[in-house]
Amino acid sequence: MRIDVNADLAEGFGRWELGDDAALLDVVTSANVACGFHAGDPNTLRDACTRAARGGVALGAQVAYRDLAGFGRRFIDIAPEDLTNDVIYQIGALAGFARVAGTEITYVKPHGALYHAVGGHSDQAAAVVEAIRCYDSRLAVLGSPGSRWLELAGQAGLPVYREAFADRAYNPDGTLVSRRAPGALLHDPERIAQRCSRLARGEEIEAVDGSMIRVRAESICVHGDTPDAVAIAHAVRGRLETEGIELVSFAPAPV
Amino acid sequence: MRIDVNADLAEGFGRWELGDDAALLDVVTSANVACGFHAGDPNTLRDACTRAARGGVALGAQVAYRDLAGFGRRFIDIAPEDLTNDVIYQIGALAGFARVAGTEITYVKPHGALYHAVGGHSDQAAAVVEAIRCYDSRLAVLGSPGSRWLELAGQAGLPVYREAFADRAYNPDGTLVSRRAPGALLHDPERIAQRCSRLARGEEIEAVDGSMIRVRAESICVHGDTPDAVAIAHAVRGRLETEGIELVSFAPAPV
Amino acid sequence: MRIDVNADLAEGFGRWELGDDAALLDVVTSANVACGFHAGDPNTLRDACTRAARGGVALGAQVAYRDLAGFGRRFIDIAPEDLTNDVIYQIGALAGFARVAGTEITYVKPHGALYHAVGGHSDQAAAVVEAIRCYDSRLAVLGSPGSRWLELAGQAGLPVYREAFADRAYNPDGTLVSRRAPGALLHDPERIAQRCSRLARGEEIEAVDGSMIRVRAESICVHGDTPDAVAIAHAVRGRLETEGIELVSFAPAPV
Amino acid sequence: MRIDVNADLAEGFGRWELGDDAALLDVVTSANVACGFHAGDPNTLRDACTRAARGGVALGAQVAYRDLAGFGRRFIDIAPEDLTNDVIYQIGALAGFARVAGTEITYVKPHGALYHAVGGHSDQAAAVVEAIRCYDSRLAVLGSPGSRWLELAGQAGLPVYREAFADRAYNPDGTLVSRRAPGALLHDPERIAQRCSRLARGEEIEAVDGSMIRVRAESICVHGDTPDAVAIAHAVRGRLETEGIELVSFAPAPV
């Protein structure tokens, strides 16, 4: 039995720090590295790539809308061809640091509002898929089960992987409970760790209404932007290891 | 006998256009493509790379300070390690579009105030050299004869090429006459073309004071941001071809 | 009989120029000056304010989404409270240059995608109204007849003015023909000038289907980003003057 | 006996927070509010202005180079006329939020590399002075004793105030010990508070070499970007109050 654990890295910018990249890199097997459009100055990108390469953590491009002021969290009605090129730009920039670190990026995961948009917005989903297809069709894509983005990526022949969220509640239909709804976020590290263990085993987990659902995922997303989040991430990893579940990236760097 | 002709491309940004990339690509053998820090949105970068690849024009990264408002023309006292990473970021981003266009970038030329800075500012020159060395030490560098930048690049083992400016007057010591001084810019296409022919042949050219000097260069830089500039570029190319001088990039893309 | 003529100004950025501000200021009675978020560097803003003040042209803040790369033409799903503060920031910045030029801004007109959004998006329309109400409730607002933005501004007690577009075709219901539809743009200066004369007189104009409609407006918007556009603007002004229609801003600066 | 205490505020940007504005506003009598060029998104600016107005804290514009990536800490060789307009833009933007908060900005203090530059760079110092003179010559300026900036501001008729730094060591000649030199920063809250008490009384303080020097200042600058800094700021205020020194801004808002 095996599972991947992924988290967002390099989300500071210049003087501003965010999250604890060093701590997260002890936990995850895949690092979604910001590419400078929503966060991530070049120093931070290089540092994240260097540390990830050293720790054997897979590198993914966390591509986003060009929106530093909004941290990529606001939908932008960008033309698909513009989005395609924005994504190529970001992948290329990060790939440069991966190369300098002696490794390669192996997957792409959209960030924030773009992640949400490609779940259902066919034009934008297709635009991101097109960017990857043009750049390197061996790159994998990471996203939510059932998203338009994964569907189109699969049709384009890209390797497709699904993720579940460690600390988010699920609706009975397998979608995430909106962040604004009560009970959307889980807080208890032990409960979260147990839930991740079930996810990794392919067992059912409890939805927000108490019903049991099955979420199929090759990766679990953890967060690291608060001390609590880092503690949760450690609890998840500890539990998985204790139970003998192998932690390995779905898209390891070529050796 | 052979010479390269280079020019800056992709210097618009979004709604704002600058220069006539299509016209220049009919003239040059090497295209210095902006990378987004002083100019150049992703659409424009992709378009320049695609056209250059189609026309067999070599692609170089025209790296710059992060300064859209100042078009990269203002010296920034950036820390060397920050500059190194800013340059890696830009090279990587452009390399992504070169890859999508089925080719590779083969050289680096700093832009504007950074071009001027690396002429004499050892720390910044070393920082740019370090970026290239880390990224790909097969990349060539293009700069002014006698610049600190070419000296350090040569010491680091990078392939080094020198350029002369088609439309700029020279001091008797081989340096450029300051843009603010009278007579700094040449305007007559025929005289400029003739001068370029002499440069390509390794013959002496006339300095601003009438004395004759020898400027050794493997490339001639032309401009394209005004209709006059494009006319000059065409005159230069026409003259060189008429005289049987081979126009070929100093750093052609690998086939 | 009187009418205002407005146009967008200061839409370059740094090295990049756009439109012919000097030519437009000979034509218009109200200048919608960009505020730096979609276009307009501080030098350009100051120059526009200085020239407008000298020519007795009213100054309006052309507020926009923060999106230089997209020229403010892409809808951004920004939170209303963030939009309110983005608008206050822009109004304040422009007001500084108006003050330095010895005058004041007297109205606000949203730009591009924000102009379109506030036509029907109640939350964003209310957010812009709130910004103006907080900053100075004597500021007028300029927009399309029937837009949500003018409705909410009127409810908030702001002075409300409507504009018609000189070179755009209208649907029979008084809305604009989409830019992507055939016949959306008028090109003949004489026909456009005649149409503006009818608009100024409150007479019916021809809709795209040949039917006659009445568009009530206190201002006519002309463009200046192409040589043709400037010629059209001149034709409009010439015709209105010839016919004895007084050209005067709906919101002149206080004396 | 009276003294002002000033600190930098509003230095986050969007998702990124920096410093504890609420805590600082309990301590200072003057708030140097970032204006968006090195830090400070519109939400943060408004919040700082609203809180400062509520607490009776004077508002100053902390103007900077346009450099979010470098937090305004890198010298930029900007043309003086461009700098003048960049400063007017920033003052205007902040003044908008002061107005919305029912108050006014009353002074200007450059930030980071610009603060350092105007200490000795006559052209840039004159450019900032010119911006203030054009905008409102009643605005005061705050800076280091002996700086070129204060000298030129005084010559231009602007009200001039000097500041000392609570936690920085001084050379025997009254200049600051470079941050890179050993002993540049003081850490002991009690010792710092005592030193501030002496500064406020116009008494001599100990320089880094043990000699006694007199630093004349109408304001003391404290920091708030670390928990320690906030503790120091509180210690300084507590000590000054205990000793009966009146804490009052050098440039209170008009009532």
Side-chain angles (χ1 to χ4, degrees), chain C residues 163-231:
Chain C
E163 66 176 342
F165 291 86
D167 61 356
R168 294 289 297 277
Y170 279 87
N171 292 311
D173 66 354
T175 59
L176 293 171
V177 173
S178 163
R179 277 181 183 275
R180 287 169 228 153
L185 285 177
L186 310 183
H187 297 287
D188 177 30
E190 273 321 296
R191 227 186 112 210
I192 292 171
Q194 188 187 2
R195 183 185 184 88
C196 289
S197 158
R198 297 187 62 84
L199 278 166
R201 295 175 186 286
E203 298 172 0
E204 291 183 324
I205 59 169
E206 198 180 346
V208 72
D209 67 347
S211 65
M212 298 303 286
I213 59 169
R214 203 177 306 272
V215 177
R216 301 196 186 279
E218 290 79 31
S219 182
I220 293 174
C221 182
V222 298
H223 294 107
D225 49 358
T226 64
D228 279 4
V230 172

Side-chain angles (χ1 to χ4, degrees), chain C residues 74-141:
Chain C
R74 314 187 284 208
F75 171 72
I76 300 182
D77 190 21
I78 183 173
E81 54 273 25
D82 297 354
L83 179 55
T84 293
N85 293 333
D86 277 5
V87 170
I88 292 171
Y89 186 94
Q90 293 178 75
I91 294 175
L94 185 64
F97 290 108
R99 176 181 181 134
V100 165
T103 185
E104 294 180 16
I105 63 172
T106 56
Y107 70 97
V108 174
K109 175 181 171 181
H111 162 84
L114 182 58
Y115 186 92
H116 186 74
V118 300
H121 191 305
S122 291
D123 286 352
Q124 292 207 358
V128 180
V129 168
E130 171 67 5
I132 301 167
R133 202 193 55 73
C134 287
Y135 183 83
D136 184 351
S137 58
R138 294 166 307 173
L139 287 175
V141 304

